[in-house]
Amino acid sequence: MASPTNGSQLIAQSLKSLNVQVIFGIVGIPVIEVAEACIALGIKFVSFRNEQAASYAASAYGFLTGRPGVCLVVGGPGILHAMAGVGNSTVNATFPMLLLAGSSETSAGPTKGAFQQLDAVAVLTPHTKLAVRPPSLEQLPESIRDAYRTAFWGRPGVGFVDLPADFIQGTPKEVVRIAAVDEQPKTGGSIARISALANALRGAKRPLIVVGKGAAYARAEDVLHSFINSTNIPFLPTPQGKGVLPDSHPLNVATARSVALRGADVVLLLGARLNWILHFGEAPKWSPHVRIAQVDISAEELGRGGADPTLCVAGDITEVVSQLSASLGRWRYTDSSNWNQQLSASTVKNLASAAKKAAIVKLPLSYHRSFTLLKDHLEALSGGSSDDLVYVSEGANTMDISRSIFSVSKPRQRLDAGTYATMGVGLGYAIAAEIAYNHTHETGTTSRKRIIAIEGDSAFGFSLPEIETMSRYKLPIIVIVVNNGGVYRGTSDNSPSWGTDVWEADPEGKRANALLTSTALGFETAYHTVAEGLGGRGWRVKDEEELAVAIKQAWEYGAGPSVINLIIESGSETKLEFNWLGKKDSKL
């Protein structure tokens, strides 16, 4: 590369040296010069309509590729909008991101009132692993390298670099060395802890392995597949740990989740945390006598919740599992307490219940029926398997129900709202997946992946304009908007609301009553028409025949996004339940 003549070129060359292939963001003064310098070096720039979606995309790209996704925004309000992705990245702990943002000139001082002035380092320091403003233009490469490395070494998170306008436009006064960053060194666990963990597994009557998204991020699929097969221990994937081992694996007990958690006596937690998703490792969801062992790259995470500190191991999952396998030798779990029988009985019961729900043919379509049909159609179009299908899902009921229906056979091919339960991530995630799997080479895939975004109608509304982003870059993403006319549940045009008010409908089917419940949305919103206005294709679907036609046509359309507006039952007759709160009476 030629020597940089200004700061924007220096920034671009720094990113190129880090093997950055794509940047997500929105340009404006002063970062437009940075984006153009990156494009000149062959770095793809994906321009979004909202910084939130761009930051979500960058963080998801980090999870999918194992290297930080890069997000470039303007200062002030651009940073505040991008903080949504900062929080999402930090809490998910496997979504590394480098955030770069423009700022006012260094001569403006902290209180002069310059254009979009914000003390970004002060704002972001509590929410990132490293937030820095380089002391000079010449130190930009070092700051970018350090923030990038910090974002994915150790526990993944966010690195931030502030880019003053005069640095971007200035001329380096000396030759600047631009360094690359190696992969994170992999560390093994304590030999004593490995031995204690091996002994605990040998003595278990009802062992269980929980596979979290940390295992997916660590690329632990090969070593885990070997370990599970050799030890014969049942495993339970977390929502984004699905696919590390195929859902079809005979030792997968996801369908018997409640029985598995409540009955296990020794649990090995691999790349998952004892937070709300796993009920903190506490009774009544877990046995009060369970011993929970954790393996995590982040030592400070160990021993939280109900975990047994004596069985916790700090280290890279691939290294620790290899050590544990060697310590166990030829040992293989043999069931002596009807554990497998209990799990099998629960699996059979729950599968039968799900099949019964999926078999109900009625109008409007139900979640279970429509999702089962979608799964069958998509897998048929994909050659009879889910190997090349990537599912992005968000929305309370949409996400929860779809998780158990859409099977995943490969790691890092299911994304959802995650640990932060963030609504609005779906379209950004879908764009990131399309770019990661089909437009860059970091993931090492050999076949094209089809990206399927399954969106609740409420969740879809958070980032709907990004359909235009998909259209502009001709990304053939299939978006299914699961339209029940509301948040959690809709309200049908003839259903009573909470209280004394009653819905009425005019001849056109619109709501005539002005008093709406807090969960109500427009059940006749023409999302498919909006998609066409944004450059995509759209279908309104209300029955099984229309669904089959729409999904086939969407699959065959390769010039941009397809949006299927799927009308389903409102669910307005049921109570809202918030089981994740851990309270018996958490209903409305």
Side-chain angles (χ1 to χ4, degrees), residues 258-259 261-263 279-288 582-584:
S258 296
V259 171
L261 295 183
R262 192 167 54 246
H279 314 288
F280 314 108
E282 299 171 352
K285 294 291 186 179
W286 296 78
S287 165
K583 300 177 181 179
K584 294 181 180 179

Side-chain angles (χ1 to χ4, degrees), residues 34 44 55-56 136 279 317 379 425 455 484:
V34 175
K44 187 179 184 72
S55 64
Y56 292 147
S136 68
H279 314 288
I317 291 173
E379 290 186 359
V425 297
E455 300 277 307
N484 72 338

Side-chain angles (χ1 to χ4, degrees), residues 155-169:
R155 177 177 178 166
V158 180
F160 168 71
V161 181
D162 187 63
L163 307 175
D166 50 326
F167 287 9
I168 292 173
Q169 298 163 354

Side-chain angles (χ1 to χ4, degrees), residues 75-107:
I79 292 169
L80 296 179
H81 294 165
M83 281 189 70
V86 170
N88 191 63
S89 171
T90 299
V91 174
N92 274 296
T94 52
F95 283 50
M97 178 173 71
L98 172 65
L99 177 63
L100 304 174
S103 64
S104 51
E105 299 86 347
T106 54
S107 61

Side-chain angles (χ1 to χ4, degrees), residues 59-66 94-96 213 216-217 219 412 415:
S59 65
Y61 187 86
F63 173 72
L64 295 172
T65 65
T94 52
F95 283 50
K213 66 176 177 289
Y217 177 77
R219 274 63 184 165
R412 299 171 296 280
L415 296 166

Side-chain angles (χ1 to χ4, degrees), residues 8 86 153 308 445 505 535:
S8 61
V86 170
W153 279 33
D308 184 341
T445 57

Side-chain angles (χ1 to χ4, degrees), residues 325-379:
S325 182
S327 182
L328 287 169
R330 295 186 178 182
W331 175 83
R332 184 175 174 83
Y333 169 64
T334 302
D335 185 14
S336 60
S337 61
N338 296 321
W339 178 229
N340 289 335
Q341 185 177 343
Q342 294 174 46
L343 295 171
S344 296
S346 178
T347 295
V348 170
K349 176 183 176 181
N350 291 334
L351 286 175
S353 175
K356 184 177 179 180
K357 292 177 182 178
I360 298 175
V361 179
K362 64 175 183 178
L363 292 177
L365 292 166
S366 68
Y367 280 105
H368 289 82
R369 180 65 179 172
S370 56
F371 286 170
T372 300
L373 292 170
L374 275 169
K375 171 186 178 294
D376 292 344
H377 289 314
L378 287 167
E379 290 186 359

Side-chain angles (χ1 to χ4, degrees), residues 239-240 242 276-277 367 371 392-406 414-423 425 429 454-456 459 482 488 580:
Q240 291 184 97
K242 284 167 63 71
W276 65 275
I277 294 176
Y367 280 105
F371 286 170
V392 178
S393 181
E394 63 171 336
N397 296 324
T398 296
M399 182 174 64
D400 291 342
I401 297 172
S402 69
R403 180 174 64 246
S404 63
I405 294 177
F406 291 92
R414 185 183 186 279
L415 296 166
D416 66 20
T419 310
Y420 221 15
T422 311
M423 292 297 106
V425 297
Y429 280 11
I454 305 169
E455 300 277 307
V482 185
Y488 297 108
W580 54 269

